[in-house]
Amino acid sequence: MNGPKPSIGTDPASEEGEDDQDQNPVVALADHFIIDRPWLVVLAFVVATAIMLPAAPTAFEDTQTGAGQFQEDVPEYDEYEAMQEDFERSSRADGGVTGQLFLDPKRNVLSRQSLLSMVAAQEHLESSTRLRIASSTSPGSVIAMHLDPTAMPPEAQYRVLEGATDQQLTSAIEATGDRLMVDVGFTPESASADVAQVGITYDLPPEASTEQAANVQFDTLDAVDQLDAYTVGENVVMFANGVFDEEVGQLLGDSSAVVFPAAIVLILLFLIVAYRDPIDLVIGLVALAMVLIWTFGFMGYVGIPYSDSIFTVFPLLLAVGIDFGIHTINRYREERAGDLGIGAAMDETGNQLGTAFVIVTLTTMFSFAANLTSPLAGIRDFGIVAGVGIIFTFVLFGVFLPAAKVGIDRLRQDSWFPGFGSKPIGREGSLIGRGLALGTKLAMVAPVIVLVSALVLGAGGAAYGSGVDVEFSEEVFFPNEERIETFNQLPGPLAPGQYNFVPARNYLEEDFEIPFVQTVTIYVDDRDVRSDFALRDIDRATSNPPDAFESTDRRRGDAENVLDVIQTQAVLDRAFADVIDRYDETGNGVPDREVDQVYDALFESSAGGEATNYLTRDRGSTRIQFSPAVDASNEEVVTGAERIASNMRLDATATGDYIISESVNDRITTSAVNSLVVAFVLVLIVLLLAYWRLEGRAVYGIINLVPILLTVAMLVASMRFFGIALSPVNAPLLGVTIGLGVDYTVHFMHRYVDEVSAGKTVSDALSEAVHGTGGAMTGSMLTTVSGLGVLYLALIPVIAEFGLLLALGVLYAYLSAILVLPSVIVLWERVETVWRSNNERGRLDI
């Protein structure tokens, strides 16, 4: 039944049905506008959304993907960047941008026809000015140059290979075997191999951007695809930094194209079931959309770019928003079912839920913001965006949604618009209601057994979960290959793009036994690089390497350095070999006097461009790039590299992807532990103060956290069970789980306190809480777990794992609140009763 339009502060006979004189002035003012001026509130939010909307797209202008987003502020990364800049200044002018084509013709790649196809492809590529290729090399060109050292252009090499006899080709393959870029299954005697590499060097200016490099590299692929012998994606793929960066960035977009539509469909389906009213559904969806617009707008205005870690913020905000929306509509329907009018029902809903929403918002915000303690910039950005986003969620679902609901219900109460499902979820007697009563029944019969079982389960889960691995590398952001094949069957824009670096990685690791994170670098920044002992020191550094590094023979590591370039050029160039002999007193091929003269001759030779990859032109820096063994662990590689650097006479530092990854791994663990501890402490303080201030019972705050500890323990155990390692993307989730879990326990606990305050017994209050608030909790849980669990469909494994963990965390939090929290409440009430009884007897005795 509909009552008259309400007014604030009227007598008890008014629509509100209670005196509001004790209401907080801020809350009273908000209620006044929500109930008396709902369309003014709606207009204000529309204007605010219009302000945020223009900035939202700018959050996507500098999208950050892959490992780089988490490497900022890591000293080892800064050192690596300094080295890269040092060498780029020297090498980019010589065409330092490179790429590798992997040729897999499904036949002997060293057959005459395959070799001819290779050099024909080189001739085709080098003759195109648009591709800006400075040089290229392949097994075909190496073999042709051995047969005729004067055959320099690919066209001449083609003629040499075409005119050579079978015996000449076989002999040339045997002679050049150690220089042919073919798979590890090759032996000189067999003259046969399965996969070959074509190395390409581009002539780009020093200031060329990654995008410019990617453009010429993609154009190279298009040019190769025009040849009859090769089809990109079938028997030829490319690995190059520009292509790699572009494709890693593409991953996030392809994942979003699949995940967001699937999430929207599932969320929509469950919201239809939860709301059962198209008007309420539209209001809820509009509020969710505004949360996203406001949050993206905030990111745009403050300059926080969209990234893999930020991608995970929005499922969390949607989870809380869905929860707030369902609770508000469900409680409003309860009050309307009790014959309150529109204004009075919403006023009572605000009075009952407002405190719970404030507590949930504060605890969730602090659990998100706890990630500001992380030493990783990407995780700190997550904390900022998530913390601000939860405030937006609270404001929109605490003010906009109730105002829109009041305004629309008043418009349609006397109109022709038909009524729809308006009964609350989980009402007593319903199927859901009967299932929800299980936790309450157990609490009244065997609360000790329930609590002890929960504590044992939690302790066991925490102990088991303590063995969770930590993983950080570029490869954790690579796509799931099987999922790409599946998604390729999707229509049009939903199908993912082609990823060259996925098969390229497989060729590197399986056919060439080179880790995708290819090298560890010993960086020497020392003016003594030009001293007489420098090359001897480099030679010693590559001798007898640790077991973690590949070896070319029993005593020498597989390491690329300027000495290798010098010795290779001496084999190809007789005049340069004479220079080496002149300054090599020991005769071992390592110049040990007038080294600066050797460098001059090297830079003047045809190998000068390649030399700048390992020696700067000012001769102030050099580097040695080691290839780790495929089966070596990060820790073994890092320890070995640091040992090599410390044993050098030159001032050397170990750096590279392995070193950076190990450093980030340490920070991930620190971040996860810190955020968990800080979130727990902050949430505990908020709960203690809130319940002490609002209910005079600080202990309720502690009771709230008992199920949350169980949730966190089970989530950590699930990580280990499913083989999910801690990563920068999921590291914040442990602390965030506390905030998400509090969402459920606070709603349940607050409803229980309200019913007890109204004079109900513990049993009746628990029953009322589980059938009233429990129904909304169930709707929220089902929508969140099903709708946001679709993150598991993401192409990027770490995001898919985050989706699984998020769904499990919400499910565990819900089950803990429904099944465990009632027993904790009952036990505390019994303990408190006994304590009060003993106190009263003690006073009487006195």
Side-chain angles (χ1 to χ4, degrees):
M1 140 179 159
N2 296 326
K5 182 179 178 180
S7 60
I8 301 299
T10 56
D11 59 51
S14 70
E15 192 186 20
E16 282 77 2
E18 62 179 75
D19 190 2
D20 289 333
Q21 298 300 319
D22 296 331
Q23 195 174 32
N24 184 293
V26 176
V27 176
L29 182 63
D31 282 349
H32 170 70
F33 279 100
I34 290 171
I35 297 170
D36 286 356
R37 305 282 192 277
W39 293 115
L40 182 62
V41 173
V42 171
L43 178 62
F45 278 84
V46 170
V47 171
T49 303
I51 294 173
M52 288 293 197
L53 187 58
T58 62
F60 298 91
E61 290 180 355
D62 187 25
T63 299
Q64 295 183 353
T65 55
Q69 63 193 296
F70 298 103
Q71 294 173 342
E72 297 177 13
D73 300 338
V74 176
E76 290 81 359
Y77 180 72
D78 293 339
E79 293 172 0
Y80 179 75
E81 284 290 280
M83 179 192 71
Q84 292 292 85
E85 291 175 8
D86 196 6
F87 278 89
E88 282 177 4
R89 283 194 299 269
S90 181
S91 67
R92 287 296 288 272
D94 298 284
V97 175
T98 62
Q100 294 168 289
L101 291 172
F102 291 90
L103 308 180
D104 185 6
K106 312 304 179 187
R107 61 176 185 270
N108 180 14
V109 80
L110 295 179
S111 68
R112 184 190 303 271
Q113 186 55 50
S114 293
L115 295 174
L116 289 171
S117 296
M118 282 181 213
V119 294
Q122 290 176 257
E123 194 278 328
H124 178 67
L125 295 176
E126 291 186 21
S127 63
S128 172
T129 56
R130 180 173 59 91
L131 298 180
R132 306 195 63 166
I133 294 177
S135 64
S136 64
T137 183
S138 72
S141 62
V142 171
I143 292 169
M145 288 282 289
H146 176 81
L147 292 170
D148 182 359
T150 65
M152 293 300 292
E155 184 179 3
Q157 294 166 358
Y158 188 96
R159 290 194 299 269
V160 169
L161 293 172
E162 192 176 36
T165 65
D166 291 342
Q167 180 60 44
Q168 286 174 326
L169 281 179
T170 301
S171 298
I173 290 172
E174 291 182 6
T176 59
D178 59 342
R179 292 188 284 127
L180 297 179
M181 298 176 291
V182 291
D183 62 273
V184 294
F186 163 78
T187 59
E189 295 77 19
S190 69
S192 175
D194 295 325
V195 184
Q197 289 186 50
V198 177
I200 299 173
T201 300
Y202 294 91
D203 182 18
L204 290 177
E207 67 275 7
S209 65
T210 300
E211 183 179 359
Q212 290 173 311
N215 287 338
V216 296
Q217 288 160 357
F218 279 118
D219 287 344
T220 300
L221 277 172
D222 292 339
V224 172
D225 203 39
Q226 296 170 6
L227 300 172
D228 293 336
Y230 301 112
T231 301
V232 173
E234 291 186 9
N235 60 5
V236 59
V237 295
M238 184 179 204
F239 177 75
N241 287 337
V243 170
F244 174 76
D245 290 343
E246 289 291 318
E247 291 183 345
V248 168
Q250 175 185 321
L251 269 174
L252 194 56
D254 284 347
S255 290
S256 300
V258 174
V259 168
F260 282 157
I264 289 171
V265 169
L266 282 174
I267 288 173
L268 184 60
L269 288 175
F270 277 93
L271 287 181
I272 289 172
V273 174
Y275 286 133
R276 290 158 292 140
D277 183 324
I279 299 299
D280 292 348
L281 176 64
V282 169
I283 296 172
L285 291 176
V286 168
L288 287 174
M290 292 169 75
V291 167
L292 298 182
I293 292 171
W294 283 30
T295 308
F296 279 126
F298 166 77
M299 290 169 56
Y301 279 124
V302 301
I304 296 178
Y306 190 55
S307 66
D308 293 320
S309 59
I310 300 300
F311 179 87
T312 61
V313 169
F314 297 98
L316 298 173
L317 298 181
L318 292 177
V320 177
I322 289 168
D323 178 79
F324 280 6
I326 291 178
H327 274 288
T328 298
I329 298 300
N330 204 61
R331 189 58 182 264
Y332 171 78
R333 289 175 178 177
E334 280 191 68
E335 302 303 333
R336 290 283 280 153
D339 291 334
L340 286 180
I342 294 172
M346 189 57 74
D347 185 39
E348 186 63 22
T349 297
N351 291 337
Q352 298 298 329
L353 292 179
T355 300
F357 280 2
V358 170
I359 295 174
V360 168
T361 299
L362 288 175
T363 52
T364 308
M365 181 187 70
F366 282 128
S367 72
F368 288 173
N371 290 286
L372 294 176
T373 61
S374 173
L376 299 175
I379 295 180
R380 292 198 300 273
D381 285 346
F382 168 92
I384 293 170
V385 174
V388 172
I390 199 64
I391 295 174
F392 291 159
T393 304
F394 168 72
V395 173
L396 283 160
F397 281 90
V399 181
F400 168 77
L401 184 139
K405 176 66 175 170
V406 168
I408 290 176
D409 274 9
R410 283 180 180 156
L411 284 178
R412 67 175 180 170
Q413 64 179 339
D414 297 321
S415 71
W416 58 268
F417 201 90
F420 296 90
S422 60
K423 294 181 179 179
I425 307 172
R427 62 192 182 280
E428 193 168 1
S430 67
L431 181 62
I432 293 178
R434 289 195 295 272
L436 290 172
L438 176 62
T440 301
K441 291 177 180 178
L442 290 174
M444 302 311 299
V445 175
V448 174
I449 294 177
V450 172
L451 182 58
V452 170
S453 299
L455 293 175
V456 170
L457 183 64
Y464 175 73
S466 63
V468 168
D469 292 330
V470 181
E471 182 179 7
F472 175 79
S473 69
E474 192 71 61
E475 294 193 57
V476 303
F477 298 95
F478 288 177
N480 182 306
E481 294 180 60
E482 294 180 0
R483 195 159 291 171
I484 287 179
E485 293 179 6
T486 301
F487 286 3
N488 276 330
Q489 310 304 315
L490 294 174
L494 295 180
Q498 182 175 344
Y499 292 97
N500 280 278
F501 74 85
V502 176
R505 176 191 61 177
N506 295 338
Y507 282 126
L508 276 171
E509 295 184 342
E510 296 172 12
D511 293 285
F512 291 86
E513 294 186 355
I514 300 173
F516 190 75
V517 181
Q518 293 186 14
T519 58
V520 169
T521 301
I522 306 299
Y523 174 47
V524 176
D525 186 14
D526 190 334
R527 299 305 300 179
D528 281 341
V529 167
R530 60 201 312 166
S531 66
D532 290 346
F533 71 85
L535 293 176
R536 293 201 307 272
D537 199 31
I538 292 172
D539 184 50
R540 281 194 299 269
T542 59
S543 301
N544 300 314
D547 293 338
F549 297 102
E550 294 281 7
S551 299
T552 53
D553 54 47
R554 290 187 177 182
R555 75 170 201 90
R556 186 160 297 281
D558 185 4
E560 299 175 4
N561 56 79
V562 69
L563 184 58
D564 279 346
V565 179
I566 289 172
Q567 293 175 337
T568 300
Q569 185 63 16
V571 173
L572 300 175
D573 185 340
R574 183 64 256 173
F576 183 75
D578 291 340
V579 174
I580 302 304
D581 292 340
R582 187 180 314 139
Y583 299 119
D584 175 17
E585 292 188 347
T586 59
N588 64 353
V590 180
D592 47 18
R593 70 181 185 85
E594 301 296 338
V595 168
D596 231 4
Q597 300 296 322
V598 175
Y599 294 155
D600 286 340
L602 178 64
F603 285 129
E604 291 171 2
S605 73
S606 60
E610 184 183 0
T612 58
N613 290 323
Y614 308 104
L615 178 69
T616 56
R617 286 195 175 273
D618 65 1
R619 298 89 186 276
S621 301
T622 189
R623 58 183 174 185
I624 309 170
Q625 294 183 328
F626 283 91
S627 296
V630 175
D631 58 350
S633 68
N634 265 26
E635 186 177 358
E636 291 171 337
V637 172
V638 171
T639 301
E642 290 175 344
R643 193 185 87 190
I644 291 172
S646 64
N647 289 337
M648 289 189 69
R649 183 175 172 185
L650 293 167
D651 186 8
T653 304
T655 186
D657 293 327
Y658 278 91
I659 312 298
I660 296 168
S661 295
E662 191 68 14
S663 177
V664 174
N665 278 342
D666 294 339
R667 286 164 170 79
I668 291 172
T669 304
T670 301
S671 178
V673 173
N674 286 352
S675 66
L676 181 62
V677 172
V678 171
F680 179 80
V681 171
L682 290 177
V683 168
L684 177 61
I685 292 172
V686 170
L687 290 175
L688 290 174
L689 291 177
Y691 281 106
W692 172 73
R693 175 70 179 83
L694 298 171
E695 309 294 343
R697 306 288 295 278
V699 69
Y700 286 162
I702 298 175
I703 292 174
N704 265 278
L705 281 179
V706 173
I708 305 307
L709 294 177
L710 174 61
T711 297
V712 174
M714 295 309 299
L715 188 61
V716 174
S718 297
M719 290 181 68
R720 182 175 178 184
F721 179 80
F722 289 108
I724 299 175
L726 266 178
S727 71
V729 173
N730 65 42
L733 194 57
L734 296 181
V736 166
T737 300
I738 293 178
L740 292 178
V742 166
D743 193 344
Y744 290 95
T745 60
V746 164
H747 281 302
F748 190 97
M749 189 75 189
H750 191 72
R751 182 62 180 266
Y752 166 78
V753 172
D754 282 347
E755 300 301 334
V756 168
S757 300
K760 290 186 173 64
T761 64
V762 171
S763 177
D764 290 342
L766 286 174
S767 179
E768 193 68 29
V770 80
H771 289 117
T773 300
M777 289 166 59
T778 302
S780 171
M781 181 274 296
L782 289 174
T783 306
T784 303
V785 169
S786 302
L788 305 182
V790 297
L791 279 174
Y792 190 68
L793 298 176
L795 295 174
I796 306 173
V798 287
I799 293 181
E801 292 166 356
F802 181 90
L804 174 62
L805 294 177
L806 175 60
L808 288 175
V810 170
L811 177 62
Y812 294 155
Y814 165 80
L815 292 175
S816 297
I818 292 295
L819 298 177
V820 177
L821 185 57
S823 292
V824 180
I825 292 172
V826 168
L827 282 175
W828 172 253
E829 294 290 358
R830 291 180 181 178
V831 168
E832 189 176 42
T833 299
V834 171
W835 180 79
R836 284 178 177 172
S837 176
N838 289 338
N839 253 7
E840 289 174 2
R841 283 201 299 270
R843 286 198 296 271
L844 288 174
D845 291 341
I846 291 173

